[in-house]
């Protein structure tokens, strides 16, 4: 049972519910990027990482500068 529509954006807070945390991003995102070949965008100057599912139904957005820690 899902009360969200496929196009709804969902923010996950607290951050630990979204994955391993900023120190272990590779553990959380690595399989999606390397095993399942999800497309990524990465800005090395800010640390911003965005990962999109191949069908664009899910987007994971990590911006380390956010004060509230939301992915």
């Amino acid at each position: 049972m899902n009360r969200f529509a496929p196009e709804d954006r969902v923010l996950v807070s607290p951050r630990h519910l979204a994955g391993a945390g900023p120190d272990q991003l590779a553990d959380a995102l690595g399989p999606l990027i390397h095993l399942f070949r999800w497309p990524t965008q990465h800005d090395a100057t800010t640390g911003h990482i965005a990962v999109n599912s191949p069908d664009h139904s899910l987007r994971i957005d990590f911006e380390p500068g956010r004060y509230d820690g939301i992915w």
Side-chain angles (χ1 to χ4, degrees), residues 24-45:
Q24 298 175 349
L25 274 178
D27 291 345
L29 300 179
L32 298 176
I33 296 167
H34 300 294
L35 296 176
F36 301 109
R37 304 194 190 284
W38 283 25
T40 63
Q41 295 134 8
H42 178 240
D43 184 344
T45 59

Side-chain angles (χ1 to χ4, degrees), residues 8-9 16 19 26 29 32-33 43 49-50 59-60 67 69:
D8 287 346
R9 295 183 82 188
H16 70 272
L29 300 179
L32 298 176
I33 296 167
D43 184 344
I49 301 169
R59 176 180 174 92
I60 301 169
Y67 68 92

Side-chain angles (χ1 to χ4, degrees), residues 1-67:
M1 190 143 98
N2 186 347
R3 61 178 195 238
F4 299 108
E7 66 276 359
D8 287 346
R9 295 183 82 188
V10 179
L11 299 178
V12 178
S13 182
R15 178 179 283 177
H16 70 272
L17 294 177
D23 296 332
Q24 298 175 349
L25 274 178
D27 291 345
L29 300 179
L32 298 176
I33 296 167
H34 300 294
L35 296 176
F36 301 109
R37 304 194 190 284
W38 283 25
T40 63
Q41 295 134 8
H42 178 240
D43 184 344
T45 59
T46 64
H48 179 257
I49 301 169
V51 182
N52 293 296
S53 65
D55 66 356
H56 300 286
S57 65
L58 179 68
R59 176 180 174 92
I60 301 169
D61 192 62
F62 174 70
E63 189 171 336
R66 283 191 66 127
Y67 68 92

